[in-house]
Amino acid sequence: MESSIECISSSEGMNEDEIAHPHPYSRFSSSKQSNNLNGMVINPATSVHELLECPVCTNSMYPPIHQCHNGHTLCSTCKARVHNRCPTCRQELGDIRCLVLEKVAESLEIPCKYRSLGCPEIFPYYRDIQYLVAHLKDDHKVDMHTGSTFNHRYVKSNPRDVENATWMLTVFHCFGQYFCLHFEAFQLGTAPVYMAFLRFMGDEIEARNYSYSLEVGGNGRKLIWEGTPRSIRDSHIEVRDSHDGLIIQSNMALFFSGGDKKELKLRVTGRIWKEQTNPDGGACIPNLRS
């Protein structure tokens, strides 16, 4: 089923950072006095957001949050990467949880990404995905789809005036999970580009269980991208700046659009699949069923 999506100007607030990151006015702010969390001395100027930033990947940490015997913390994803050695002091990590920071993370509140449009909703920092999906669907009328394939047409009347333009999110439900499809335009150096990418509404470790492909084309030419969806814990700006998605140069986008090149009409198709572990060799093989 084809879906046509008109552009929404970034000046209307659509380029606000995703709710995966705390707002500076959440009800936990910097303490006026030094504190101590399980041996960690906290500078008075340190914000809660900084405390919850993993020193390895710099993403926000969610329970379970791990720490070494000296009190250095890191997220569960990075703990699996560092071979049980603290990246700060090189001591053995063991299996110690930083329960204090976990409680802080569970207590933080942050506003909806559409706060600049007047949405008053407040979410827990360590939020429930089902509640977030319901909010996007009911309060913001985000386009919702069921199934692992998609076919969207993105339209813009003045393609040379991108100014960080973005299109409305599309949310997909498949394999019992939710995924967000992003499409936006921004300046890359001196030239405008268009970018499409998929995010998984869950943690990074879970996101690795899935893969996706995107395809765009016209006039007998096409571009194809395949990758792993990024976690919604990463802000869309972080994903965009890493170029982790299908990037379409402006001239190529106009070529795909055909006609007199005065209007952008890009058709983006794609699919999502779940990776399965091969019992014989341990490698991942794609599961093409939705």
Side-chain angles (χ1 to χ4, degrees):
M1 180 176 178
E2 179 182 329
S3 176
S4 183
I5 306 173
E6 298 288 343
C7 176
I8 299 176
S9 170
S10 62
S11 62
E12 294 176 302
M14 295 297 295
N15 68 333
E16 291 290 334
D17 205 9
E18 299 293 338
I19 66 173
H21 295 282
H23 187 266
Y25 297 109
S26 57
R27 61 188 176 98
F28 280 86
S29 59
S30 300
S31 172
K32 294 182 180 180
Q33 297 179 351
S34 295
N35 295 285
N36 188 291
L37 296 180
N38 287 12
M40 294 186 298
V41 177
I42 302 173
N43 188 292
T46 301
S47 69
V48 174
H49 187 191
E50 290 175 299
L51 288 176
L52 291 170
E53 183 179 278
C54 176
V56 179
C57 64
T58 70
N59 290 328
S60 299
M61 295 188 291
Y62 301 83
I65 298 174
H66 299 274
Q67 70 172 36
C68 72
H69 291 281
N70 293 325
H72 303 123
T73 58
L74 76 164
C75 69
S76 58
T77 300
C78 290
K79 181 179 185 292
R81 295 172 175 171
V82 297
H83 307 293
N84 206 37
R85 290 287 177 184
C86 174
T88 303
C89 67
R90 307 307 301 169
Q91 295 296 313
E92 185 175 349
L93 283 172
D95 195 23
I96 306 173
R97 295 272 292 275
C98 186
L99 300 180
V100 176
L101 274 187
E102 289 185 6
K103 289 294 184 182
V104 171
E106 291 170 356
S107 301
L108 282 175
E109 293 179 345
I110 53 178
C112 173
K113 66 166 286 187
Y114 298 109
R115 63 184 180 274
S116 61
L117 298 178
C119 180
E121 286 293 318
I122 299 294
F123 295 92
Y125 174 70
Y126 186 55
R127 64 196 177 281
D128 178 74
I129 295 298
Q130 294 287 347
Y131 180 69
L132 171 58
V133 170
H135 175 68
L136 292 174
K137 177 183 177 181
D138 299 336
D139 298 333
H140 297 296
K141 311 304 179 186
V142 167
D143 200 13
M144 309 289 293
H145 290 267
T146 299
S148 58
T149 62
F150 44 90
N151 181 2
H152 288 346
R153 190 176 69 152
Y154 296 95
V155 179
K156 193 175 190 300
S157 58
N158 186 3
R160 298 190 182 279
D161 180 26
V162 297
E163 292 298 326
N164 290 325
T166 186
W167 282 253
M168 182 65 75
L169 281 176
T170 305
V171 176
F172 297 92
H173 183 235
C174 57
F175 307 108
Q177 304 288 348
Y178 289 94
F179 301 82
C180 295
L181 178 63
H182 295 254
F183 187 81
E184 60 184 271
F186 60 96
Q187 292 289 136
L188 184 58
T190 59
V193 296
Y194 297 88
M195 182 175 179
F197 57 91
L198 193 75
R199 289 199 298 165
F200 173 72
M201 299 184 76
D203 292 320
E204 181 184 349
I205 293 178
E206 295 178 88
R208 296 175 192 166
N209 295 325
Y210 304 90
S211 296
Y212 75 102
S213 65
L214 295 173
E215 181 177 313
V216 63
N219 291 330
R221 310 287 193 276
K222 65 181 178 181
L223 293 174
I224 300 175
W225 163 268
E226 287 192 4
T228 301
R230 294 286 289 270
S231 169
I232 198 172
R233 310 301 189 193
D234 300 335
S235 73
H236 92 274
I237 293 178
E238 180 180 349
V239 179
R240 185 194 73 182
D241 291 348
S242 69
H243 305 162
D244 191 4
L246 175 66
I247 295 181
I248 313 160
Q249 301 294 333
S250 178
N251 289 340
M252 184 63 73
L254 292 174
F255 177 77
F256 288 158
S257 298
D260 56 8
K261 298 185 179 181
K262 293 183 178 180
E263 184 177 39
L264 180 78
K265 291 182 179 179
L266 286 179
R267 186 186 306 277
V268 177
T269 61
R271 67 183 179 93
I272 307 165
W273 65 90
K274 185 175 183 179
E275 302 287 354
Q276 287 185 328
T277 300
N278 185 341
D280 297 324
C284 286
I285 57 176
N287 176 8
L288 302 182
R289 295 179 299 172
S290 60

mmCIF file of all heavy atoms in Angstrom, residues 4 13 45 54 63 81 95 107 121 128 164 176 178 226 232 236 273 283 286 290:
data_model
loop_
_atom_site.group_PDB
_atom_site.id
_atom_site.type_symbol
_atom_site.label_atom_id
_atom_site.label_comp_id
_atom_site.label_asym_id
_atom_site.label_seq_id
_atom_site.Cartn_x
_atom_site.Cartn_y
_atom_site.Cartn_z
ATOM 1 N N SER A 4 1.549 8.621 0.584
ATOM 2 C CA SER A 4 2.182 9.859 0.137
ATOM 3 C C SER A 4 2.260 10.817 1.301
ATOM 4 O O SER A 4 1.261 11.073 1.981
ATOM 5 C CB SER A 4 1.378 10.482 -1.006
ATOM 6 O OG SER A 4 2.011 11.634 -1.491
ATOM 7 N N GLY A 13 8.869 22.861 14.537
ATOM 8 C CA GLY A 13 9.292 22.098 15.702
ATOM 9 C C GLY A 13 9.555 20.640 15.434
ATOM 10 O O GLY A 13 9.861 19.890 16.345
ATOM 11 N N ALA A 45 28.644 20.844 39.594
ATOM 12 C CA ALA A 45 28.208 21.332 38.283
ATOM 13 C C ALA A 45 27.773 20.201 37.360
ATOM 14 O O ALA A 45 27.327 20.449 36.249
ATOM 15 C CB ALA A 45 29.333 22.129 37.615
ATOM 16 N N CYS A 54 26.932 7.044 29.122
ATOM 17 C CA CYS A 54 27.934 5.972 29.129
ATOM 18 C C CYS A 54 29.268 6.519 28.636
ATOM 19 O O CYS A 54 29.329 7.166 27.587
ATOM 20 C CB CYS A 54 27.470 4.818 28.244
ATOM 21 S SG CYS A 54 28.697 3.493 28.080
ATOM 22 N N PRO A 63 18.566 1.035 32.816
ATOM 23 C CA PRO A 63 18.766 -0.214 33.552
ATOM 24 C C PRO A 63 18.794 -1.418 32.608
ATOM 25 O O PRO A 63 18.017 -1.459 31.653
ATOM 26 C CB PRO A 63 17.537 -0.269 34.466
ATOM 27 C CG PRO A 63 17.148 1.174 34.646
ATOM 28 C CD PRO A 63 17.435 1.821 33.323
ATOM 29 N N ARG A 81 30.982 -5.506 25.382
ATOM 30 C CA ARG A 81 32.020 -5.236 24.391
ATOM 31 C C ARG A 81 33.428 -5.157 24.990
ATOM 32 O O ARG A 81 34.419 -5.316 24.283
ATOM 33 C CB ARG A 81 31.741 -3.912 23.680
ATOM 34 C CG ARG A 81 30.475 -3.901 22.845
ATOM 35 C CD ARG A 81 30.213 -2.491 22.350
ATOM 36 N NE ARG A 81 29.077 -2.416 21.448
ATOM 37 C CZ ARG A 81 28.546 -1.268 21.028
ATOM 38 N NH1 ARG A 81 29.068 -0.126 21.420
ATOM 39 N NH2 ARG A 81 27.523 -1.286 20.204
ATOM 40 N N ASP A 95 29.882 -8.384 38.266
ATOM 41 C CA ASP A 95 28.463 -8.241 37.928
ATOM 42 C C ASP A 95 27.779 -7.315 38.936
ATOM 43 O O ASP A 95 26.801 -7.678 39.590
ATOM 44 C CB ASP A 95 27.788 -9.615 37.908
ATOM 45 C CG ASP A 95 26.426 -9.577 37.225
ATOM 46 O OD1 ASP A 95 26.205 -8.652 36.413
ATOM 47 O OD2 ASP A 95 25.589 -10.449 37.511
ATOM 48 N N SER A 107 13.304 7.576 37.651
ATOM 49 C CA SER A 107 12.542 8.675 38.229
ATOM 50 C C SER A 107 12.494 9.918 37.346
ATOM 51 O O SER A 107 11.624 10.770 37.527
ATOM 52 C CB SER A 107 13.130 9.060 39.597
ATOM 53 O OG SER A 107 13.112 7.961 40.487
ATOM 54 N N GLU A 121 2.479 16.522 27.354
ATOM 55 C CA GLU A 121 2.777 15.201 27.903
ATOM 56 C C GLU A 121 4.197 15.105 28.452
ATOM 57 O O GLU A 121 5.139 15.648 27.887
ATOM 58 C CB GLU A 121 2.570 14.117 26.841
ATOM 59 C CG GLU A 121 1.116 13.815 26.543
ATOM 60 C CD GLU A 121 0.416 13.177 27.715
ATOM 61 O OE1 GLU A 121 1.003 12.302 28.372
ATOM 62 O OE2 GLU A 121 -0.732 13.569 27.988
ATOM 63 N N ASP A 128 7.909 3.264 28.837
ATOM 64 C CA ASP A 128 7.269 2.099 28.279
ATOM 65 C C ASP A 128 6.974 2.353 26.803
ATOM 66 O O ASP A 128 6.335 3.343 26.450
ATOM 67 C CB ASP A 128 5.984 1.803 29.044
ATOM 68 C CG ASP A 128 5.250 0.621 28.468
ATOM 69 O OD1 ASP A 128 5.699 -0.519 28.675
ATOM 70 O OD2 ASP A 128 4.249 0.825 27.781
ATOM 71 N N ASN A 164 16.742 21.977 6.511
ATOM 72 C CA ASN A 164 16.513 20.920 7.511
ATOM 73 C C ASN A 164 15.058 20.470 7.574
ATOM 74 O O ASN A 164 14.512 20.224 8.644
ATOM 75 C CB ASN A 164 16.970 21.375 8.904
ATOM 76 C CG ASN A 164 18.474 21.485 8.985
ATOM 77 O OD1 ASN A 164 19.192 20.707 8.376
ATOM 78 N ND2 ASN A 164 18.955 22.461 9.726
ATOM 79 N N GLY A 176 6.099 -8.376 16.375
ATOM 80 C CA GLY A 176 5.792 -8.039 17.760
ATOM 81 C C GLY A 176 6.537 -6.832 18.277
ATOM 82 O O GLY A 176 6.533 -6.576 19.487
ATOM 83 N N TYR A 178 8.019 -2.475 17.367
ATOM 84 C CA TYR A 178 7.697 -1.240 16.663
ATOM 85 C C TYR A 178 8.978 -0.620 16.097
ATOM 86 O O TYR A 178 10.035 -0.644 16.727
ATOM 87 C CB TYR A 178 7.016 -0.243 17.608
ATOM 88 C CG TYR A 178 5.612 -0.645 17.989
ATOM 89 C CD1 TYR A 178 5.371 -1.367 19.154
ATOM 90 C CD2 TYR A 178 4.523 -0.307 17.182
ATOM 91 C CE1 TYR A 178 4.085 -1.749 19.509
ATOM 92 C CE2 TYR A 178 3.238 -0.680 17.523
ATOM 93 C CZ TYR A 178 3.027 -1.404 18.689
ATOM 94 O OH TYR A 178 1.751 -1.774 19.027
ATOM 95 N N GLU A 226 21.107 -1.311 2.900
ATOM 96 C CA GLU A 226 20.786 -2.362 3.856
ATOM 97 C C GLU A 226 21.561 -2.112 5.139
ATOM 98 O O GLU A 226 22.730 -1.722 5.092
ATOM 99 C CB GLU A 226 21.130 -3.748 3.300
ATOM 100 C CG GLU A 226 20.197 -4.227 2.220
ATOM 101 C CD GLU A 226 20.379 -5.705 1.894
ATOM 102 O OE1 GLU A 226 21.194 -6.368 2.591
ATOM 103 O OE2 GLU A 226 19.714 -6.193 0.972
ATOM 104 N N ILE A 232 16.010 3.573 19.338
ATOM 105 C CA ILE A 232 15.368 4.856 19.594
ATOM 106 C C ILE A 232 16.065 5.595 20.734
ATOM 107 O O ILE A 232 15.862 6.788 20.932
ATOM 108 C CB ILE A 232 13.870 4.665 19.913
ATOM 109 C CG1 ILE A 232 13.109 5.973 19.739
ATOM 110 C CG2 ILE A 232 13.675 4.074 21.309
ATOM 111 C CD1 ILE A 232 11.622 5.855 19.851
ATOM 112 N N HIS A 236 17.521 11.121 16.770
ATOM 113 C CA HIS A 236 17.515 11.084 15.311
ATOM 114 C C HIS A 236 18.628 11.968 14.743
ATOM 115 O O HIS A 236 19.183 11.692 13.686
ATOM 116 C CB HIS A 236 16.141 11.495 14.759
ATOM 117 C CG HIS A 236 15.982 12.943 14.464
ATOM 118 N ND1 HIS A 236 15.611 13.865 15.407
ATOM 119 C CD2 HIS A 236 16.162 13.641 13.307
ATOM 120 C CE1 HIS A 236 15.564 15.061 14.855
ATOM 121 N NE2 HIS A 236 15.884 14.964 13.590
ATOM 122 N N TRP A 273 13.300 -7.377 8.264
ATOM 123 C CA TRP A 273 13.289 -8.802 8.536
ATOM 124 C C TRP A 273 14.017 -9.084 9.839
ATOM 125 O O TRP A 273 14.834 -8.298 10.298
ATOM 126 C CB TRP A 273 13.873 -9.602 7.388
ATOM 127 C CG TRP A 273 15.322 -9.392 7.089
ATOM 128 C CD1 TRP A 273 16.386 -10.066 7.599
ATOM 129 C CD2 TRP A 273 15.870 -8.432 6.167
ATOM 130 N NE1 TRP A 273 17.562 -9.597 7.073
ATOM 131 C CE2 TRP A 273 17.281 -8.606 6.184
ATOM 132 C CE3 TRP A 273 15.318 -7.448 5.332
ATOM 133 C CZ2 TRP A 273 18.127 -7.821 5.407
ATOM 134 C CZ3 TRP A 273 16.160 -6.682 4.567
ATOM 135 C CH2 TRP A 273 17.545 -6.865 4.596
ATOM 136 N N ALA A 283 25.904 -18.534 12.728
ATOM 137 C CA ALA A 283 25.755 -17.272 12.033
ATOM 138 C C ALA A 283 24.295 -16.889 11.921
ATOM 139 O O ALA A 283 23.396 -17.708 12.104
ATOM 140 C CB ALA A 283 26.368 -17.383 10.631
ATOM 141 N N PRO A 286 18.626 -14.619 7.513
ATOM 142 C CA PRO A 286 17.427 -13.801 7.531
ATOM 143 C C PRO A 286 16.156 -14.624 7.586
ATOM 144 O O PRO A 286 16.059 -15.682 6.953
ATOM 145 C CB PRO A 286 17.526 -13.021 6.218
ATOM 146 C CG PRO A 286 18.341 -13.891 5.323
ATOM 147 C CD PRO A 286 19.308 -14.593 6.220
ATOM 148 N N SER A 290 6.897 -12.166 7.886
ATOM 149 C CA SER A 290 6.452 -11.079 8.754
ATOM 150 C C SER A 290 5.589 -11.613 9.860
ATOM 151 O O SER A 290 5.214 -10.901 10.756
ATOM 152 C CB SER A 290 5.696 -10.029 7.940
ATOM 153 O OG SER A 290 4.566 -10.593 7.327
#
